[in-house]
Amino acid sequence: MAREAVIVGVGDVPLEGGKVVGGGSVLQVQARAAKAALDDARLSMRDVDGLLVAGLWGVPGPGQLPSVTLGEYLGIHPRFADSTNIGGSAFEAHVAHAAMAIEKGYCDVALISYGSMQKSERSRTLGGRPSILTMQFENVWGIPQPVGGYALAAQRHMHEFGTTEEQLAEIAVATRKWASMNPAATMRDPLTIDDVMNSTRIADPLKLLDCCLVTDGAGAIVMTTAENARAHGSKPIHIRGYGEAHTHWSIGAMPDLARLTAAEMASKRAFEMAGISHDAIDLVECYDSFTITVMMTLEALGFCKPGEGGAFVSGQRTAPGGAFPLNTNGGGLSYCHPGMYGIFLLVEAVRQLRGEAGARQVADVATALVHGTGGTLSSGSTVILANN
């Protein structure tokens, strides 16, 4: 192709105890993450002419105009803007949208940004999502959102396939082992299967340690053309394939409670575009809002058959030293989860592909699959990345 879109910069902000070091507003922390990503890319704010923002967590009102608001704050006047918000998978979708925009000449340098101060502002509760539209038929019964919907999916998966709570706990324990190797992770203390099993039940069968963290955070991605990357001496990460889909919003409308249809659709498209098989994937970064999210995602992506996720993750297969490196920064379960986590999957994948992950670096990583999940197992976006 005449113009190939590549990722050239990633950035995030430091956390301590799940809160942004130095504090700040949701706009300030995004500005810091954007500056870090642009420095990484050897570019500046004035080079940016594409801006992709999935909401401003903590900014009230339906008229917040995310890209307009952040663009004004950063002094960016983009000629391409995208405020698509399909939940935590939005950022993988943004990579696809930015790639298409760059390759078609709609912009030359795209900035993808997200930030949230939900922990510092104490803005997250189990009340969760408002009782509007189809959600009104669920919230009236007192279901805690969003964990209640995920718990229903977990119960159905157990009923159909015999999945056990101990198998779900394997995921939490393996992810914590990765977090213990990441100085930036919020939770780094050792964790056992018994610890998970004995933690407080939140929505049966999901317990406290089956659930993601509630933290602050901000991250950013910078994309440009391969030619521009060479001109600035940046390290390009190539985008080999992508796909996105969504199937429902309220859990009662999910096509199959034991099957993640959106992830099946998105990943199928991404693999077809990349022209590779599952054996070519060296590393997977997938959304882990809850342990059941991971298990169902691995099945939907095709790394194991439906119902085989429990056996697949058993024996700490996804932990450091295991056969299947997964969520290597500690994930949303142990690293951070500022409302929507998908951008941090991309940041970690890029660092792994560049060999910049420090003690948790996976050897010989050439190709990585990143998959985000949004809503209540509602949306899915897959991106396949490579370093050559």
Side-chain angles (χ1 to χ4, degrees):
M1 63 184 69
R3 288 166 60 98
E4 180 195 359
V6 295
I7 297 173
V8 289
V10 296
D12 51 18
V13 295
L15 303 177
E16 185 173 340
K19 295 183 178 181
V20 170
V21 175
S25 71
V26 68
L27 294 174
Q28 288 173 318
V29 297
Q30 285 190 81
R32 294 176 209 162
K35 177 66 162 54
L38 286 163
D39 287 348
D40 186 41
R42 302 185 181 183
L43 294 167
S44 67
M45 205 72 75
R46 64 177 174 270
D47 295 314
V48 177
D49 59 352
L51 184 59
L52 300 94
V53 189
L56 298 171
W57 194 287
V59 177
Q64 58 178 246
L65 304 178
S67 68
V68 176
T69 303
L70 186 63
E72 176 186 81
Y73 188 79
L74 298 178
I76 296 171
H77 301 165
R79 57 194 181 101
F80 174 79
D82 186 351
S83 293
T84 298
N85 189 346
I86 52 174
S89 64
F91 313 99
E92 286 70 35
H94 283 177
V95 168
H97 299 178
M100 289 185 276
I102 290 168
E103 288 164 6
K104 292 294 185 182
Y106 286 99
C107 66
D108 294 319
V109 176
L111 172 66
I112 303 169
S113 177
Y114 175 71
S116 165
M117 296 296 288
Q118 65 168 9
K119 184 175 179 67
S120 293
E121 295 171 352
R122 300 184 179 183
S123 59
R124 190 68 181 252
T125 71
L126 277 176
R129 287 140 190 180
S131 297
I132 57 174
L133 303 177
T134 57
M135 204 71 74
Q136 66 181 299
F137 303 113
E138 298 177 356
N139 288 356
V140 68
W141 303 108
I143 184 172
Q145 296 282 13
V147 63
Y150 285 82
L152 286 172
Q155 288 280 23
R156 187 66 196 180
H157 202 275
M158 291 177 170
H159 172 75
E160 288 200 16
F161 304 119
T163 306
T164 68
E165 295 181 34
E166 288 82 1
Q167 288 172 328
L168 291 175
E170 289 266 6
I171 295 167
V173 171
T175 309
R176 180 64 63 84
K177 289 178 181 177
W178 285 111
S180 72
M181 304 166 71
N182 181 5
T186 299
M187 303 296 287
R188 301 182 64 203
D189 292 339
L191 188 67
T192 67
I193 300 291
D194 285 343
D195 290 334
V196 180
M197 295 297 294
N198 293 326
S199 62
T200 304
R201 287 190 180 268
I202 304 300
D204 195 45
L206 300 179
K207 296 163 287 296
L208 178 65
L209 294 174
D210 286 304
C211 303
C212 67
L213 304 172
V214 175
T215 72
D216 299 339
I221 308 286
V222 176
M223 295 173 58
T224 189
T225 63
E227 181 181 7
N228 202 19
R230 287 191 293 270
H232 287 85
S234 305
K235 299 178 182 178
I237 297 300
H238 303 273
I239 301 153
R240 298 305 187 202
Y242 46 76
E244 63 186 89
H246 54 75
T247 55
H248 62 283
W249 179 211
S250 55
I251 194 67
M254 187 171 177
D256 184 338
L257 274 174
R259 176 179 170 186
L260 202 47
T261 307
E264 292 177 3
M265 295 168 63
S267 62
K268 182 176 185 293
R269 197 168 297 124
F271 272 109
E272 288 174 350
M273 184 176 178
I276 62 174
S277 67
H278 291 73
D279 291 342
I281 302 297
D282 302 309
L283 172 76
V284 174
E285 306 288 345
C286 78
Y287 209 104
D288 58 343
S289 46
F290 303 92
T291 51
I292 187 60
T293 315
V294 177
M295 188 174 295
M296 292 178 68
T297 300
L298 291 172
E299 293 175 0
L301 296 177
F303 289 103
C304 56
K305 294 179 181 178
E308 294 183 357
F312 186 85
V313 301
S314 293
Q316 293 296 281
R317 184 176 187 177
T318 64
F324 194 88
L326 177 72
N327 294 345
T328 51
N329 61 357
L333 291 169
S334 288
Y335 163 47
C336 78
H337 195 288
M340 295 195 292
Y341 178 71
I343 200 163
F344 301 98
L345 299 169
L346 292 158
V347 170
E348 176 66 8
V350 169
R351 287 174 175 161
Q352 286 283 348
L353 286 164
R354 288 175 168 182
E356 298 172 351
R360 65 186 186 278
Q361 179 65 50
V362 178
D364 303 320
V365 175
T367 306
L369 183 147
V370 181
H371 182 83
T373 301
T376 314
L377 299 168
S378 310
S379 67
S381 298
T382 306
V383 178
I384 296 175
L385 305 174
N387 58 17
N388 55 48

